[in-house]
Each structure stands twice: as C-alpha cells, then as structure tokens.
Amino acid sequence: MALARPNIRLLARLTPRCQFRAYSAPGESSIPPAKKKYVPTSGTYPLGFRTGSAHVGVKASNTRFDDLALIASESPCSGAAVFTTNKFQAAPVTVSREMLKKRKGEGIRAVVVNSGCANAVTGKGGIEDAIAMGRETDACFIQDSNGEDDGQGSRSIVMSTGVIGQRLPIQKIVDKLPTAYHNLGETHDHWMSAARAICTTDTFPKLLSRTFTLPSSDVEYRIAGMTKGAGMIHPNMATLLGIICTDAPIAATPLQSLLTSAITKSFNSISIDGDTSTNDTVAILSNGAAGGKPITSASSQPEDFAAMQEVLTAFAIDLAKLVVRDGEGATKFVTIKVEKAKTYEDAKRVASTIARSPLVKTALYGKDANWGRILCATGYAEGVSSIVPEETSVSFVPSDGSEELKLLVRGEPEQVDEDRASQILKEEDLQIVVRLSEKFDESAVMWTCDFSHEYVTINGDYRT
C-alpha cells in the first residue's frame, strides 16, 4: 500500500517555530560581509591615551569574549559628557554625572565600560556597584607613579550597557579590572579590542580616528572615538554609549560646550526605533599631549574654538552614522532632510517624526514608494508652524547622484515612475527630501533606517 504524502501545510502549523538570529554581534560570529567596509584596519590615535579590554562574562552566555573595556589617559585630563534625558537614569549615568560635577571636569583618568548588563533600575545596590567600578578603576592608576590620589574622589567615568533591571556581577568585574588595566596599549588592535568589548547586539565594532590642525599653530592633533548601539535608539540622548579622545589641549568648560553643541547635530540627530534608553552617555577626554596653545574658553581663542567645534561636530556625525548603519535588522541607511522651514527646530521636529514612523520605515523595507506615509508623518509633527500644505514637496534622492524623483510638488502629486522608484529603493543608501514651504530657509537632517522582520526577532529574544 502506497504511503500517503504528508500535508506540508499541516506540518508547518504543528511544528514549533524556532527563532533564528540572522544578526551576529562581534565575538559571537563573523562580521557580516556588507558591514566589513565600515571597520577600519588601521588608525591614527591621540597621544597619551591607551585602551584595553578583558573578559568578565557579565552575561552568563558569554563564555570567552571580552566585555569590559578601559580607555585611559596617561595623565589627568579634561573630561565632559552628555547623558540621557530618560527619567529612569541608570546608576552609571547618575554616578558619572556627579563625579564630573564634583571635579568640574578636571583630573579625569579613564572611562570604564561593561557590556551585558545596563545596571539600570537597580536601586541603591546599582549605585553602589557603579561607584565600586569607578573606585576600583581609580585604584589601578593610584598604583602608578603618576596616579597619586588628589583627595577629590573618583577620576573615572563609568558606563554600562545591556539588559535593564538586573544587578551587575560586580565582584567578577572588579576582579578583572586589573587585567583590563594590564592589557592597555596604544595600537590599533588595542583600540579595536575596546570597541568590540562595548558591543551588545552590534554586528560590527564602531571605531574612527583622524588628524586635524587648529589656526593658532601647525601642530597635528588626533581625535579617535568608539561607540556602540544598534537598537533602542532615538535622540535626547540617542540610546548608545560613545567615548571620544583627543590630544588637543582643551579645558573642561569649553570642552563641555563643544561636546553639547556637537551632539545636537550628530548623536541627537539619529533614530533607529524611536526608543530612548536609560544609559545613554557620550563622553570626551582631552589630555593636551600633543602640545600647542590651550583652548581655555570660547572667547579667549575664538578661532581655535570655532575650528575645534567644526572638527568635533563632523567627527561626531560620522561616528553617529555608524550606529544607524548597524540598526538592528536594518537593510537601509536613510537620510531625511527637511528644508524650507521657519526654524531649525521645526525642521528637526518634522525630520524626527518621519524618522520614527513605523509605517514609513516598513514601506522603505518593502521598497514601496509610499510617499503618503511620509506626508502623513510630516503633518502630525507636533509644535510645527512651518508647514504650508499647498507648498509642501516630497522627493527621493538617489545615492548615485542622478536626478531626484519628485513624488509631491507644491501640494500636487506627481505621476511617479514606479520602476525608477523601485530601483532607488533597492539601494542601501537613500535620501528623502521634504520642503515645507516656498518662503523659509531653515533646514535639518536626521539619519535613520528601515524596519525589518529581523528587528522583531532580535528584540523578541534579547534577554535569552
């Protein structure tokens, strides 16, 4: 008797489904081929800084990959930071902010970061753990000839990233801090090891470096930075960690001003999923090891200050873009430019609203030129007075430099070439331009990505 053929559809319904992670964070697997072009193979790093990492196993499933990073200045330096505006602020945010305030940004030695646990919403115990991380990091430097205690408390900025609501295995971290300190070095590999150690769901380490000069001298300065973040990303602050170091001589007060301004058009101009985290921190250290005339205030060296602002903002933008390129499950890097607004704030609000619209993001993933969703998001942006419906235009700008594809012109829909639209949407990079009126001139830019099935998979089993 012939066997009956199995009912494939019935079996599919009865067979338990397993989630498969197509993403692969550094250390868990190889970097996806499409992302390798964003990972530098060499760099020019600031004088007087050393970086290193160690394996702790903060997350039980991590049995062999480094998850503790240390970025240190060989001498006490200036420090500044910008933190999350989420009301549930993680313990390291609270502790680091108070440390910088107490020291007025001077005499900083290091940034210490663990991945695998955010130390967020962990009560008084979490605060104690963050303090212990800073204190034990300080102890490593006190043992050095240049590391004497100045009596003003901790010198270390503390950062944590990972799962919210769980206590750190603080003793394991403390025990491995001397190892991270011992592993400090100046090479590209040392910087890369630290950049890898701060990753969570990132698929590639995010590290940049470059050189620059300032008007007052011909000294060549260096700036380097690393960041992590792939999900729970939206401005104020964007949910991520970032550490920037420079050997230019900048005092703490102007350093804070420079960083705050740079953040506005960089890390606060990206969005992956509209969620703002509890741990967001971007810090900058300046040790002046390259020499030259110090920037002591914005007014005392206006040309140097302005030049440094331009350098830092451009660098922070490039670093922030790497976060978007690694958006969880993302297949597209999308630049949203809003033009012809009455104010920068209006343009930014519209761009931000479009960037976090699930309907816009899913249409981009589906390669659907559904400009109605873009227009809808534009229309419900809150607190915007610049929009003139009969003067509003929407276009796609291809990444190959060819002519923009006009979708809506001065409130009138265009006859869209669907084939060309489909071709534009197949590319990894895309720009959306929205013009709000005919009589205003302000503009703003946001960088975002699409929503794919993989985003749900990654975040559906994040804690497991």
Side-chain angles (χ1 to χ4, degrees):
M1 184 175 73
L3 294 174
R5 301 183 67 178
N7 187 321
I8 301 300
R9 291 182 179 177
L10 177 61
L11 287 175
R13 289 198 299 270
L14 295 177
T15 302
R17 291 177 179 247
C18 296
Q19 289 185 329
F20 174 74
R21 296 187 182 202
Y23 74 93
S24 55
E28 294 182 6
S29 185
S30 60
I31 297 170
K35 306 294 185 181
K36 288 183 178 179
K37 60 188 174 184
Y38 303 118
V39 181
T41 57
S42 63
T44 304
Y45 298 102
L47 302 176
F49 283 100
R50 297 180 294 156
T51 65
S53 63
H55 171 252
V56 175
V58 173
K59 203 169 183 178
S61 59
N62 176 14
T63 59
R64 60 193 181 96
F65 302 110
D66 287 3
D67 51 0
L68 180 66
L70 187 59
I71 299 91
S73 175
E74 293 177 352
S75 60
C77 66
S78 302
V82 176
F83 300 97
T84 181
T85 58
N86 193 304
K87 290 181 174 62
F88 291 94
Q89 298 189 350
V93 169
T94 300
V95 169
S96 295
R97 179 190 287 113
E98 289 303 309
M99 184 276 292
L100 287 169
K101 181 179 179 181
K102 181 179 180 180
R103 283 193 161 274
K104 298 180 180 179
E106 299 292 356
I108 310 303
R109 288 302 301 270
V111 179
V112 60
V113 191
N114 77 269
S115 61
C117 178
N119 191 12
V121 198
T122 46
K124 294 180 180 178
I127 295 290
E128 293 170 358
D129 291 344
I131 291 173
M133 277 183 68
R135 182 181 63 243
E136 296 304 318
T137 301
D138 298 332
C140 294
F141 293 95
I142 291 174
Q143 294 171 11
D144 284 352
S145 59
N146 293 328
E148 60 274 5
D149 187 354
D150 66 357
Q152 297 184 46
S154 179
R155 296 173 180 266
S156 300
I157 296 171
V158 179
M159 300 183 186
S160 297
T161 182
V163 177
I164 295 171
Q166 296 180 3
R167 287 285 298 275
L168 286 173
I170 188 60
Q171 193 57 50
K172 291 173 66 177
I173 291 174
V174 166
D175 289 344
K176 285 300 181 75
L177 276 168
T179 302
Y181 181 80
H182 175 76
N183 291 338
L184 289 173
E186 304 171 349
T187 70
H188 173 72
D189 287 343
H190 286 98
W191 281 85
M192 185 60 71
S193 72
R196 283 178 174 270
I198 68 175
C199 292
T200 50
T201 59
D202 307 61
T203 66
F204 67 94
K206 300 163 187 66
L207 175 66
L208 290 177
S209 65
R210 61 188 52 160
T211 61
F212 65 96
T213 58
L214 295 175
S216 64
S217 71
D218 57 0
V219 175
E220 182 180 72
Y221 296 111
R222 300 161 187 82
I223 187 169
M226 63 186 73
T227 186
K228 65 80 50 186
M232 200 182 283
I233 304 280
H234 193 68
N236 299 317
M237 268 284 298
T239 174
L240 47 80
L241 302 181
I243 305 102
I244 300 171
C245 301
T246 182
D247 54 16
I250 311 170
T253 298
L255 189 65
Q256 182 66 63
S257 177
L258 288 165
L259 179 65
T260 301
S261 180
I263 291 295
T264 300
K265 294 188 176 181
S266 58
F267 290 105
N268 270 352
S269 291
I270 62 175
S271 182
I272 287 176
D273 48 21
D275 273 316
T276 298
S277 178
T278 54
N279 289 59
D280 313 332
T281 305
V282 173
I284 184 169
L285 303 180
S286 168
N287 66 6
K293 188 176 182 180
I295 299 176
T296 57
S297 69
S299 57
S300 61
Q301 296 95 10
E303 290 187 354
D304 279 1
F305 183 88
M308 189 67 220
Q309 185 68 79
E310 186 175 339
V311 168
L312 180 58
T313 300
F315 184 79
I317 286 172
D318 288 344
L319 204 55
K321 284 181 178 179
L322 292 177
V323 174
V324 177
R325 290 199 178 276
D326 200 22
E328 289 173 343
T331 67
K332 298 190 185 307
F333 177 86
V334 185
T335 300
I336 299 173
K337 187 173 185 180
V338 176
E339 301 177 335
K340 297 292 184 179
K342 185 184 300 183
T343 63
Y344 170 81
E345 290 72 21
D346 271 9
K348 184 74 173 288
R349 288 190 187 103
V350 172
S352 176
T353 304
I354 297 169
R356 67 176 182 266
S357 165
L359 289 179
V360 171
K361 295 161 83 68
T362 51
L364 293 172
Y365 173 65
K367 303 176 182 64
D368 180 8
N370 194 337
W371 57 266
R373 294 181 177 181
I374 299 170
L375 195 68
C376 183
T378 300
Y380 67 68
E382 296 182 358
V384 176
S385 60
S386 301
I387 300 171
V388 183
E390 59 272 17
E391 296 178 5
T392 299
S393 300
V394 179
S395 296
F396 286 160
V397 179
S399 59
D400 61 8
S402 59
E403 185 180 359
E404 68 181 77
L405 178 63
K406 297 178 180 180
L407 308 170
L408 181 76
V409 177
R410 291 186 290 277
E412 296 290 335
E414 293 290 286
Q415 187 66 40
V416 177
D417 183 340
E418 295 292 345
D419 289 338
R420 182 161 186 253
S422 179
Q423 286 300 121
I424 293 172
L425 290 170
K426 285 180 181 178
E427 298 299 320
E428 179 182 351
D429 286 27
L430 167 71
Q431 183 175 143
I432 297 172
V433 176
V434 177
R435 300 177 179 92
L436 301 181
S437 71
E438 294 294 318
K439 51 184 173 291
F440 304 128
D441 293 312
E442 292 295 324
S443 63
V445 177
M446 288 280 296
W447 294 278
T448 190
C449 57
D450 56 349
F451 263 164
S452 70
H453 302 88
E454 188 63 20
Y455 178 84
V456 178
T457 300
I458 292 169
N459 286 284
D461 66 350
Y462 179 69
R463 292 201 305 163
T464 59

